[in-house]
Amino acid sequence: MIIGKIDEDEPTIRFSLNLNCTNCGKKVPGGMLTSEKYYGTYAFMLEIDDFKKNYLCGTCRDKIRTNKN
């Protein structure tokens, strides 16, 4: 998954997050990609914290999506 905006020909950084589903608690892989200049900034940290608080695994996301229809 890409975090932030990556411009054309901009160097990128791959990193991993320890992610757990906020609904069921299942551990999920957290491979991420972002630009070098965005990595480590205050806005980056805020986006990562928000992402971790609202992350749903594929199973929980699909359950919510199918129940709405």
Side-chain angles (χ1 to χ4, degrees):
M1 172 171 264
I2 296 174
I3 300 291
K5 184 179 178 187
I6 301 175
D7 294 328
E8 190 175 325
D9 298 329
E10 186 173 4
T12 58
I13 294 177
R14 290 193 180 276
F15 62 97
S16 270
L17 291 176
N18 293 325
L19 287 175
N20 292 322
C21 176
T22 55
N23 191 33
C24 69
K26 184 168 63 171
K27 186 167 176 61
V28 292
M32 303 286 172
L33 182 71
T34 191
S35 68
E36 280 186 1
K37 66 181 179 182
Y38 188 61
Y39 185 76
T41 62
Y42 182 69
F44 172 78
M45 297 299 181
L46 289 177
E47 189 171 350
I48 293 295
D49 286 341
D50 187 49
F51 182 74
K52 285 182 175 181
K53 290 177 187 174
N54 298 315
Y55 186 78
L56 293 175
C57 68
T59 305
C60 292
R61 185 182 62 236
D62 290 345
K63 282 181 186 175
I64 291 171
R65 190 180 326 162
T66 57
N67 288 337
K68 286 184 180 179
N69 291 335

